[in-house]
Amino acid sequence: MSSLDDFREITQRDKPLAPYTWLKVGGAAEYFIEPRHPDELAHVIRCCHENQIPMRVLGGGSNVLVRDDGVSGVVLRMAGEEFSKIAVDETTVRSGAGALLSNLISQSVSEGLAGLESLAGIPGTVGGALRGNAGGRSGDIGQFVKSVTVLTAKGEQFTRSEDELAFAYRFSSINELAILEATFELQPDDPDEITRRMRKLWIMKKATQPLTFQSAGCMFKNPRGMSAGTLIDQVGLKGTRIGEAEISDRHANFVVTTEGAKSDDVLRLIDRTRAKVAEQFGVDLKLEIEIW
Ligand code: EPU
């Protein structure tokens, strides 16, 4: 039977996770493992499976809140370039899950391929974006997906095609442990025209969201037909501060953190927000971010 000792070269013990997340809070990972290529990743996963060690996969850390106690077991990060290759073949783009979504967008745009520019400004990796079907008012990533290659918690690899996948608002049916890569089908268009659309979107985002602050983007999903930001704004919570975490003055669905913030500050803000919105509007806000 293999053991985690076999992966000493790529393993760090008690590795603080805060620097890897956008909120910059929370504790350490018991084992932080950065496989160099997909085969090595599969080996690590099989080892953890055999030894019943819990695993989590970290993407760009833009939608994760790590608790102050940290995470027991293994946190996997697909940082190597083997996980972030992007290749264009006519109107199909293949991307490793570890690539930054912003890189996938800019490469597609420079090749004159339209579609993904509607996702401009969304942080994180392609894998993370697929997992939660990242998007905004003008579209989400799922609508462009042709296939997704995944690794299961037993280390088995397979590819699911478009008709075996379901995407909905901030939901994807991809529930395997790790996403390895995906292909996207895009539309040919004039690169200048695509860039113009992208700029417009970016200006709108900058005007309405606290993009220069430490945050995980929207904290809550929009309840059907409603806006979480408006609800939180209307209960008067904008600017509420607990410790070093604050409900953004600019957009009420964003929590921003400053130096010295604790994960617990953010969790208490989340609780207060949910309680207040439930009390005043009878709406149970559901988290968009993942809590580890
Ligand atoms: N609003 C307020 N007060 C606020 C914030 C918003 O009244 O503090 C109002 C706005 O004036 C607007 C409405 O709420 O009338 C909707 O706001 P916005 O246009 O900012 O969109 P959103 O629904 O809050 C969604 C996504 C964002 C995405 C934007 C733009 C969710 C939870 N959020 O925000 O995604 O960037 O649309 O496409 O679906 C994210 O998921 O992390 C995220 C930032």
Side-chain angles (χ1 to χ4, degrees):
M1 193 155 106
S2 64
S3 102
L4 281 186
D5 261 359
D6 303 344
F7 305 104
R8 266 190 309 265
E9 259 184 73
I10 53 167
T11 302
Q12 297 177 71
R13 290 292 303 265
D14 301 318
K15 175 84 172 168
L17 290 174
Y20 294 95
T21 70
W22 280 56
L23 280 163
K24 301 267 179 283
V25 298
E30 190 178 5
Y31 300 95
F32 185 74
I33 307 186
E34 293 181 292
R36 289 162 289 199
H37 46 78
D39 278 350
E40 195 166 49
L41 172 63
H43 281 138
V44 176
I45 292 176
R46 283 197 283 273
C47 170
C48 291
H49 177 67
E50 278 171 26
N51 292 286
Q52 295 185 326
I53 301 168
M55 294 168 268
R56 292 172 185 278
V57 177
L58 182 66
S62 52
N63 234 9
V64 173
L65 172 64
V66 178
R67 287 182 193 276
D68 291 320
D69 292 346
V71 177
S72 58
V74 165
V75 171
L76 292 161
R77 182 162 175 267
M78 290 181 244
E81 56 187 79
E82 285 296 317
F83 295 104
S84 51
K85 291 183 175 159
I86 298 172
V88 180
D89 178 15
E90 295 190 356
T91 53
T92 303
V93 183
R94 177 182 299 275
S95 171
L100 286 175
L101 180 62
S102 53
N103 286 348
L104 171 62
I105 297 170
S106 54
Q107 282 223 29
S108 308
V109 174
S110 65
E111 297 280 343
L113 292 175
L116 296 173
E117 75 281 1
S118 60
L119 309 177
I122 298 179
T125 60
V126 172
L130 286 165
R131 174 76 63 180
N133 191 21
R137 236 175 313 155
S138 33
D140 51 48
I141 194 166
Q143 70 198 83
F144 305 105
V145 170
K146 243 175 104 175
S147 70
V148 175
T149 302
V150 295
L151 270 174
T152 67
K154 291 181 180 169
E156 293 153 349
Q157 180 176 326
F158 67 94
T159 298
R160 289 213 258 167
S161 60
E162 189 186 350
D163 51 353
E164 299 165 297
L165 293 161
F167 292 98
Y169 171 68
R170 295 302 192 275
F171 167 86
S172 86
S173 59
I174 310 166
N175 56 9
E176 288 77 20
L177 178 73
I179 299 170
L180 273 181
E181 64 168 37
T183 59
F184 302 91
E185 184 62 36
L186 304 176
Q187 286 289 323
D189 198 350
D190 171 24
D192 292 340
E193 187 56 31
I194 314 175
T195 307
R196 201 186 51 77
R197 283 203 298 271
M198 201 162 63
R199 286 229 178 90
K200 214 169 132 189
L201 243 155
W202 181 239
I203 290 167
M204 237 165 65
K205 268 205 177 179
K206 272 217 308 223
T208 54
Q209 299 182 2
L211 297 177
T212 53
F213 292 79
Q214 284 174 201
S215 95
C218 288
M219 301 298 278
F220 298 100
K221 296 185 189 185
N222 284 338
R224 194 182 288 263
M226 285 186 266
S227 148
T230 308
L231 295 174
I232 303 165
D233 194 352
Q234 285 180 359
V235 299
L237 284 176
K238 260 189 175 173
T240 304
R241 197 174 176 86
I242 295 182
E244 295 303 320
E246 188 175 308
I247 296 179
S248 167
D249 258 332
R250 178 164 292 187
H251 193 302
N253 199 9
F254 281 64
V255 167
V256 298
T257 55
T258 41
E259 178 92 40
K262 295 267 166 243
S263 188
D264 203 50
D265 299 337
V266 182
L267 287 168
R268 284 163 58 205
L269 270 181
I270 290 173
D271 286 348
R272 187 178 295 181
T273 304
R274 294 189 66 191
K276 200 99 195 261
V277 169
E279 180 193 297
Q280 207 156 316
F281 292 113
V283 173
D284 180 21
L285 289 177
K286 299 272 186 277
L287 278 176
E288 176 181 305
I289 59 159
E290 251 184 55
I291 298 181
W292 284 15

